[in-house]
Amino acid sequence: MDTLISGLAILAHWDVMVALLIGSIGGVVIGALPGVGPAIAIAILLPATFSFEPIVGLTLLLGIYGSSMYGGAIPAILINTPGTPVNALTTYDGYPMTKRGEGHRAVSLAYTASFFGGVFSILCLIVLSPLLAWIAPHFGSREIFLAAFLGILLVVVAHRGQTFAAGMLAFLGIFLNTVGLEPVKYTKRYTFDQSWLASGFDLIVVVLGLFAISQAFLLLIERDHTPEKAAVSGSMMSGFKELLGIKRIATVSSSLGVLMGMIPGVGEFTAQFLSYTYAQKSSKTPELFGKGSPEGLVASEAANNAVPAAAMIPLLALGIPGEALTAMMLTVFYVHNVIPGPQLFADQLDFVMALYMALILLNVIVLVFLLFSTNLLLRIMQIPTRFLGMMILTLSFIGVYSLRNSATDCVIAMGFGVFGLILKRLNLPIVPIILGIVLGGIMEVKLRTAMAAVKTPLDFVSRPIAAILFVMLLLVLILHLRTLIREHKAKHGPDPIGPDHEHSSQQG
């Protein structure tokens, strides 16, 4: 109880509340703009947050992260264009509902399902806090190294059909982290006597280049267009009543969102797929899915909004980000010398509780805002895409230059922007590069620390948690290889001309 009161006291400061308000409403607006998304907004805002108190900076970024999916549902439902990539599944049932004149009902359901999923996951997070505080101190250097390695492996295998490309890009991220002065003896690595490489590649510069500048280039080179108008009318409160009738699907979908969010590298897409599949199989009207099923819409929105709070679990407990947005937030912790991990729960539990309560408040703020401003957001969606691209490009370069007042950083960011554009045009993933940089740095430091106490290879997995993580690594590899073999057999099938058939044909 004392920790809760202390957390409320941290949250009650005016600057924290202003940051939460700006982040929550700004996240909805950003989510509603197709082609922008939370990753770009967070990347642009990162340099500015370094001058704030850690709770203020994190609250601002959490507001954008947690609220963007609410806004992304609006264009997904009304104009069949997902505002953020994770709202793509929302179009399956949201837009068919709009086409048959039920756009107001679909939007209201999306808001309430998102609110239910968000609050459900935060309550799970609060309940799990004592368990996390107990487990986290048992993670030493070996365990954190294996957990980070597992995170990278899960990120790679999560990209079905692009596993090799995702693996290569993750290793590129790990390599980029090694450029510059190494962290123990400060010897130069891969600098080739170039002074501008001595400090390595700054994560924020890379993030702004790969996410924001590449998206700006993409918007600028594509044909300019503005989404069509699709206003809705009526009270937005009706979704609450309808959600009560399908609360089982909302609860199961939120639970799957929490589970998938806790696992590094898995995230919203897997949670949505599992939730949608469950909803369809357990529905009395499975034939409506993909044609305007309220159950499908609730499953999608409840699952993806349950993930952000759950994704904070590996970040806060172990200092291991599960995806690109939490990797960006990790830099805010490090800049202010607040190190996520076991000590954070032991020494600053009130800070952790303040973040949890900020997540609950942002869901309330967003829901209240959306109940009265959906049509206003539809007007904001009319901004031409090339204007958006130019605005993103300008803000990105301002952010990069403000980091170290370095024109070299701007050139590096532009180089990564072009590389990011190439990846996007080839439909290749960018997230593995960022996680490779962040998790690669964690793995290097923890491996060097762990090796001081390791005499034989078995010593590395001699402790219970390390052994469990190692077994999980092996299971992920085995299951992935099994899946690849099955897919290969399904694609090619058995050889239609067997040896017996060939022999008989030769005799004939």
Side-chain angles (χ1 to χ4, degrees):
M1 190 65 186
D2 292 339
T3 308
L4 190 65
I5 294 167
S6 300
L8 279 170
I10 292 171
L11 203 61
H13 288 88
W14 71 268
D15 50 354
V16 180
M17 295 307 297
V18 168
L20 184 61
L21 193 65
I22 293 171
S24 303
I25 295 174
V28 175
V29 174
I30 287 157
L33 290 170
V36 183
I40 295 162
I42 289 174
I44 291 170
L45 285 170
L46 265 180
T49 59
F50 294 164
S51 60
F52 301 155
E53 288 294 316
I55 185 68
V56 178
L58 285 167
T59 302
L60 178 65
L61 300 184
L62 275 176
I64 293 168
Y65 181 27
S67 63
S68 59
M69 290 171 227
Y70 281 90
I74 299 170
I77 291 168
L78 298 179
I79 60 172
N80 201 28
T81 305
T84 71
V86 297
N87 293 110
L89 199 60
T90 306
T91 61
Y92 286 19
D93 294 290
Y95 188 61
M97 289 177 75
T98 299
K99 286 205 294 186
R100 64 174 186 238
E102 297 179 354
H104 165 262
R105 178 191 176 196
V107 170
S108 178
L109 256 183
Y111 292 166
T112 50
S114 297
F115 180 78
F116 182 89
V119 172
F120 180 90
S121 66
I122 299 156
L123 293 176
C124 289
L125 194 58
I126 292 170
V127 170
L128 285 170
S129 283
L131 181 64
L132 289 173
W134 177 73
I135 291 175
H138 292 84
F139 275 75
S141 296
R142 282 173 264 183
E143 288 80 6
I144 292 176
F145 167 80
L146 289 168
F149 189 17
L150 179 62
I152 283 190
L153 186 61
L154 287 167
V155 168
V156 171
V157 300
H159 289 85
R160 296 288 295 274
Q162 294 181 314
T163 309
F164 181 76
M168 290 297 99
L169 291 168
F171 281 116
L172 172 63
I174 294 171
F175 169 73
L176 290 174
N177 178 71
T178 64
V179 175
L181 296 174
E182 54 93 7
V184 177
K185 295 183 178 179
Y186 298 106
T187 52
K188 292 180 180 180
R189 299 185 298 193
Y190 307 113
T191 59
F192 306 104
D193 292 325
Q194 299 294 312
S195 58
W196 61 277
L197 283 174
S199 56
F201 293 105
D202 188 279
L203 176 65
I204 311 305
V205 174
V206 177
V207 164
L208 278 163
L210 288 175
F211 283 98
I213 295 174
S214 68
Q215 186 64 24
F217 288 158
L218 196 65
L219 292 172
L220 288 168
I221 63 175
E222 287 182 344
R223 184 176 295 175
D224 200 4
H225 68 276
T226 55
E228 59 191 77
K229 289 184 179 180
V232 292
S233 59
S235 171
M236 290 293 167
M237 302 296 289
S238 58
F240 285 101
K241 187 177 180 181
E242 190 168 0
L243 189 71
L244 290 174
I246 45 179
K247 56 183 179 293
R248 172 183 54 82
I249 286 173
T251 305
V252 173
S253 299
S254 301
S255 303
L256 287 168
V258 171
L259 287 172
M260 295 302 106
M262 289 167 60
I263 303 170
V266 178
E268 293 94 346
F269 292 105
T270 308
Q272 281 182 310
F273 174 76
L274 292 174
S275 303
Y276 196 83
T277 304
Y278 166 79
Q280 188 172 21
K281 288 185 176 178
S282 63
S283 174
K284 293 177 182 177
T285 55
E287 69 280 358
L288 287 179
F289 279 71
K291 299 175 183 176
S293 168
E295 292 172 319
L297 181 62
V298 166
S300 170
E301 285 298 302
N304 67 26
N305 276 272
V307 170
M312 298 299 289
I313 291 176
L315 178 71
L316 294 173
L318 303 173
I320 295 173
E323 36 76 74
L325 299 181
T326 46
M328 295 182 207
M329 289 182 204
L330 185 62
T331 61
V332 181
F333 279 101
Y334 284 154
V335 162
H336 294 286
N337 205 28
V338 178
I339 309 301
Q343 286 303 114
L344 189 66
F345 280 86
D347 303 334
Q348 293 179 271
L349 193 56
D350 54 347
F351 181 85
V352 175
M353 291 305 295
L355 288 176
Y356 292 169
M357 285 180 282
L359 283 165
I360 290 179
L361 271 175
L362 84 84
N363 279 278
V364 175
I365 291 167
V366 168
L367 186 65
V368 172
F369 174 70
L370 284 172
L371 291 177
F372 301 103
S373 60
T374 299
N375 286 325
L376 175 64
L377 288 170
L378 288 169
R379 289 184 184 179
I380 294 170
M381 283 161 50
Q382 301 298 307
I383 297 173
T385 52
R386 282 187 179 170
F387 177 78
L388 273 177
M390 201 64 236
M391 194 164 63
I392 291 167
L393 193 66
T394 304
L395 291 172
S396 299
F397 280 121
I398 290 170
V400 171
Y401 190 76
S402 68
L403 283 171
R404 297 184 288 200
N405 295 333
S406 169
T408 305
D409 283 348
C410 293
V411 175
I412 293 170
M414 189 165 64
F416 278 107
V418 173
F419 182 52
L421 176 64
I422 293 167
L423 292 178
K424 285 178 178 178
R425 294 302 292 265
L426 294 174
N427 198 28
L428 292 172
I430 290 173
V431 172
I433 302 176
I434 303 302
L435 289 179
I437 294 172
V438 176
L439 294 178
I442 293 169
M443 287 167 65
E444 180 182 4
V445 172
K446 297 301 177 184
L447 179 62
R448 285 187 163 192
T449 307
M451 291 307 290
V454 171
K455 306 299 179 190
T456 66
L458 285 176
D459 287 345
F460 209 88
V461 292
S462 60
R463 297 197 295 213
I465 294 176
I468 291 168
L469 288 167
F470 183 69
V471 169
M472 288 172 69
L473 277 164
L474 291 178
L475 279 174
V476 169
L477 282 171
I478 291 166
L479 290 172
H480 183 64
L481 286 171
R482 186 182 170 192
T483 304
L484 289 177
I485 292 166
R486 280 184 174 179
E487 287 176 354
H488 181 77
K489 285 181 178 178
K491 186 177 180 181
H492 296 282
D495 187 0
I497 304 176
D500 295 335
H501 179 79
E502 189 178 346
H503 180 67
S504 63
S505 64
Q506 283 177 353
Q507 283 183 332

